[in-house]
Amino acid sequence: MTYLSIDRLSYRYPSGINALRSVTLSIEKGSSVAILGSNGAGKSTLLDILLGYTSSTSVFLYGKPLSKYGRKELGRLIALVPQKEQFSFAYTLLDYTLFGRAPYLSPMGSPTSADSLISYEALAKVGLGGFENRSITALSGGEQQLLLIARAIAQESEILLLDEPTSSLDPANRKRILTLLKQLHAEGKTLIFTTHDANFAYELSSDIALLKDGMLLDYGKKEEVVKSELLTILYDTQLTVTEIDGRTVIY
């Protein structure tokens, strides 16, 4: 049985714009899949559908339509790390990370000591251990991104969806996030992430989907998909794939 499959997925906004057109993907459990494309290609729309925010009968998890899963059940299977989030209140890091435990709580229930322990461990995993009582308003941009990942880790889901996880980060924080995500992938998490950074996609992924104007240009193992000709078509600008000291670099 295919783990996560997308079968001829199309989506049109109420305005009439076609965001996705007949996209078909088959994603293996434990893989790391980059959805690579320029701004407006439909990447974030695809993540919304995979998360269940936008209803569709074209996405299947364990052979069951995603639309047939309840919200709590789906929350235990799939977690989102958004590109950024507006923090409305001055939560502590621990309080914010505890939001990841919501799929395991009853409607009026409060987090247990076990939930708190899981959240402490999640913060420690991303390098924020010891700062549990710090206000989220005191975090840098890189630390905020780590906190979003900590909340997703505390959710204990099988799949992590990440929307442009390094788009606004400096090189040091980009490397920090990359190292953390590689670790999570090595531990068995299935990663599905959007990016317009071809080098980041190649570093983190096992497979890459090229999305252009809502349509799938190509999909497969990264070594097969990342070619100068395809990337040039994808971005409408000349890109070159080369090897430097045994490392694939796109420029």
Side-chain angles (χ1 to χ4, degrees):
M1 181 188 297
T2 301
Y3 179 54
L4 178 62
S5 62
I6 302 167
D7 183 27
R8 292 168 293 179
L9 171 63
S10 295
Y11 182 77
R12 177 180 293 181
Y13 288 118
S15 63
I17 296 175
N18 287 310
L20 296 169
R21 291 181 276 182
S22 196
V23 173
T24 296
L25 296 172
S26 180
I27 296 173
E28 297 179 1
K29 189 172 185 177
S31 59
S32 178
V33 179
I35 311 297
L36 187 61
S38 58
N39 294 332
K43 304 187 302 297
S44 294
T45 300
L46 180 56
L47 282 197
D48 284 346
I49 292 172
L50 290 177
L51 193 65
Y53 282 174
T54 302
S55 179
S56 172
T57 58
S58 300
V59 182
F60 302 83
L61 182 59
Y62 289 114
K64 177 180 174 180
L66 211 62
S67 57
K68 299 296 184 182
Y69 285 89
R71 290 308 310 171
K72 281 187 175 291
E73 186 181 15
L74 198 58
R76 297 181 184 188
L77 292 167
I78 303 175
L80 173 69
V81 179
Q83 184 176 158
K84 59 182 178 179
E85 187 155 293
Q86 297 295 327
F87 301 117
S88 302
F89 300 97
Y91 298 108
T92 66
L93 273 60
L94 179 60
D95 286 340
Y96 188 80
T97 305
L98 278 166
F99 289 145
R101 302 303 300 160
Y104 304 91
L105 304 180
S106 62
M108 299 299 291
S110 299
T112 65
S113 57
D115 294 317
S116 294
L117 178 59
I118 290 169
S119 297
Y120 273 108
E121 291 173 344
L123 286 166
K125 193 176 194 68
V126 303
L128 294 176
F131 302 110
E132 294 84 3
N133 294 317
R134 177 185 289 184
S135 169
I136 56 177
T137 59
L139 298 180
S140 67
E143 289 170 334
Q144 287 181 6
Q145 193 67 17
L146 290 169
L147 179 61
L148 295 176
I149 296 174
R151 181 184 63 180
I153 292 172
Q155 198 168 323
E156 295 188 316
S157 62
E158 298 177 8
I159 301 171
L160 289 185
L161 303 180
L162 303 108
D163 191 9
E164 303 279 1
T166 61
S167 63
S168 59
L169 300 182
D170 59 44
N173 278 308
R174 177 189 182 279
K175 182 178 180 181
R176 192 177 180 187
I177 296 294
L178 176 62
T179 300
L180 173 60
L181 294 178
K182 282 183 174 180
Q183 179 185 353
L184 292 173
H185 180 227
E187 292 171 357
K189 293 287 188 185
T190 301
L191 305 182
I192 304 172
F193 64 98
T194 66
T195 183
H196 52 73
D197 183 341
N199 283 293
F200 180 79
Y202 197 90
E203 286 183 89
L204 180 58
S205 69
S206 58
D207 304 84
I208 292 180
L210 304 182
L211 198 61
K212 181 178 177 64
D213 298 329
M215 295 183 291
L216 192 64
L217 184 61
D218 203 355
Y219 176 57
K221 296 300 179 184
K222 64 182 180 182
E223 297 84 1
E224 301 168 357
V225 171
V226 175
K227 306 293 183 184
S228 300
E229 298 82 1
L230 280 172
L231 293 181
T232 296
I233 294 171
L234 183 71
Y235 289 110
D236 293 318
T237 191
Q238 181 63 50
L239 289 177
T240 300
V241 181
T242 190
E243 294 285 330
I244 298 178
D245 296 330
R247 179 169 170 261
T248 298
V249 176
I250 301 104
Y251 68 92

